[in-house]
Amino acid sequence: AAFAGDVSWGGDANVEGFSLINDLDSTATTDVKERGYSQRIRLKGTFKTDGNVSVNTRLILNDSYWTGDNQGSTNNTVTGVYENSTNDAVAVDYGYIQAPIVGWTFRFGRQVANWANCFLTCDDRRDRILAMKRIGGTTVILLNDKRASSTNDETSPNGEGDLYVAAAVGVVSGWQWGLLGGIWKGEESYILDDVFSLSPYVKGKIGGVKLEGAVNILGGGNSSYALFSDTGISAYLKAGMELGTINLEAQGIIVSDGGLIAGGFDTFTMLVNNNADNNQSNTNVQNIGGLGKYGASYYGYADDEWMIGARVSTKMGKIGLKASATYMALDNDYAGYQEDWTLWTIDGGVTYAVAKTTELYLNAAFGGLDDETTANADRDYSAATLGINTTF
């Protein structure tokens, strides 16, 4: 009650109907045919105390598929007290304390993690201690993520694992830039032990052309369990320009030796990536990016990939329109695990602004995979989503 006037609330909600068909050409019947509805409601709050200290949190009130009369009979549910049914369990999405200490801003607790325009990390949640400070036009960030923990390090096969990061972001002559360096340290059995990460990104404009790009470099894993035992590299470059009310975009992505790309990265198609860690897609069928070369206890292979795409979008009053096309190729020549295939996609979408904070959307996509390695392994894809998003 003492600080009730320093409380702010907000949130978001989504309901989506979806359909996904994944059809292997060599079979008479469709391999995967999924359809249904998903729903999510989240409530966030900020509670300020004295001394510019605050508690920031968001609760997941509902996150489930519609299952009719069987709703609540699956995992992650609690029994209703006053209802003759079970209900979805409320969960903490994130929650942390923010406080100014010795001239730095500190955050302690579970936090949202993003980096490099969703290229390295996208909508992840991390148990984190973070410190940041603005120095001139640059913000310096230091953090420690607890990535793996067990109650008994002597018997756990996973072991302790921590990520230590130093990063900086700033703006120079209208260009936003960021540079991150990190290293994972832990028990010898930890799958990322001694792996390092280096990720710079930029975003700006030259004349009428908007540009952005990033590079991920990961390597150094030296145990028999470790990922990225060799260095894997990934990079992308996107260019865009506006012609009146029309926005044109083109993008190129390249992956060498299984370089990492976050699952939520925007590839211009709903069939590839666009599947953030805590905003999962109902229509994802392929991913670009990997986990580098595995240690001796694993297969040891890593893919080389590339992908290009183009997108056009426009807005006319309350209606938004978009269309895109992409082409992706993957090659892996490691003995016994060879892969060689290409994938094309065509997407289209329309949105309608019901209100300033509420939008209806309809998206559809078609794609085809041509497998050069395995006979009769070509696939056809089709997907669609129809939903409503709102914030409050």
Side-chain angles (χ1 to χ4, degrees), residues 98 129 275 317:
Q98 178 168 302
I129 298 174
N275 189 29

Side-chain angles (χ1 to χ4, degrees), residues 242-247:
E242 295 181 358
L243 299 176
T245 60
I246 298 175
N247 185 35

Side-chain angles (χ1 to χ4, degrees), residues 307-330:
M307 186 174 188
I308 56 174
R311 180 165 60 195
V312 58
S313 58
T314 187
K315 193 165 186 179
M316 301 175 292
K318 294 184 176 183
I319 298 176
L321 300 170
K322 65 179 180 180
S324 63
T326 72
Y327 186 84
M328 175 182 171
L330 179 148

Side-chain angles (χ1 to χ4, degrees), residues 324-339:
S324 63
T326 72
Y327 186 84
M328 175 182 171
L330 179 148
D331 179 57
N332 169 42
D333 57 7
Y334 185 79
Y337 301 95
Q338 293 94 339
E339 285 187 278

Side-chain angles (χ1 to χ4, degrees), residues 115-346:
W115 185 260
N117 306 316
C118 262
F119 195 61
L120 178 68
T121 308
C122 191
D123 200 29
D124 202 358
R125 302 292 181 268
R126 300 284 175 81
D127 298 323
R128 167 176 289 180
I129 298 174
L130 177 147
M132 56 185 174
K133 182 179 179 65
R134 186 173 180 86
I135 303 174
T138 302
T139 299
V140 177
I141 303 166
L142 304 174
L143 63 87
N144 167 218
D145 288 348
K146 173 57 67 177
R147 299 302 302 274
S149 181
S150 64
T151 56
N152 191 335
D153 294 334
E154 297 296 327
T155 60
S156 172
N158 297 318
E160 291 285 324
D162 287 83
L163 170 62
Y164 301 94
V165 167
V169 295
V171 177
V172 176
S173 301
W175 284 80
Q176 179 184 347
W177 64 271
L179 177 62
L180 176 149
I183 187 167
W184 286 262
K185 301 295 291 186
E187 304 292 330
E188 184 178 350
S189 59
Y190 178 51
I191 201 168
L192 288 169
D193 185 33
D194 284 342
V195 173
F196 69 84
S197 172
L198 181 65
S199 179
Y201 76 88
V202 293
K203 188 174 183 179
K205 193 173 183 180
I206 299 179
V209 179
K210 298 178 181 178
L211 295 171
E212 67 176 63
V215 179
N216 296 333
I217 305 171
L218 286 88
N222 62 9
S223 75
S224 60
Y225 294 90
L227 305 178
F228 298 104
S229 58
D230 281 351
T231 301
I233 300 174
S234 56
Y236 88 96
L237 178 65
K238 181 167 74 172
M241 63 184 302
E242 295 181 358
L243 299 176
T245 60
I246 298 175
N247 185 35
L248 302 175
E249 298 171 281
Q251 181 170 264
I253 309 168
I254 188 168
V255 175
S256 176
D257 292 330
L260 179 69
I261 296 177
F265 182 69
D266 180 10
T267 61
F268 290 7
T269 174
M270 61 196 291
L271 298 175
V272 181
N273 288 58
N274 273 301
N275 189 29
D277 292 345
N278 284 271
N279 190 15
Q280 293 286 286
S281 167
N282 289 313
T283 61
N284 171 267
V285 295
Q286 292 289 346
N287 294 286
I288 186 169
L291 298 173
K293 184 176 180 181
Y294 292 22
S297 295
Y298 291 85
Y299 301 140
Y301 65 89
D303 297 329
D304 294 327
E305 304 166 272
W306 59 270
M307 186 174 188
I308 56 174
R311 180 165 60 195
V312 58
S313 58
T314 187
K315 193 165 186 179
M316 301 175 292
K318 294 184 176 183
I319 298 176
L321 300 170
K322 65 179 180 180
S324 63
T326 72
Y327 186 84
M328 175 182 171
L330 179 148
D331 179 57
N332 169 42
D333 57 7
Y334 185 79
Y337 301 95
Q338 293 94 339
E339 285 187 278
D340 184 3
W341 52 259
T342 59
L343 171 70
W344 62 267
T345 71
I346 297 176

Side-chain angles (χ1 to χ4, degrees), residues 10 44 168 282 291 322 347 359 366:
K44 66 179 179 180
N282 289 313
L291 298 173
K322 65 179 180 180
D347 289 59
E359 182 180 79
F366 301 91

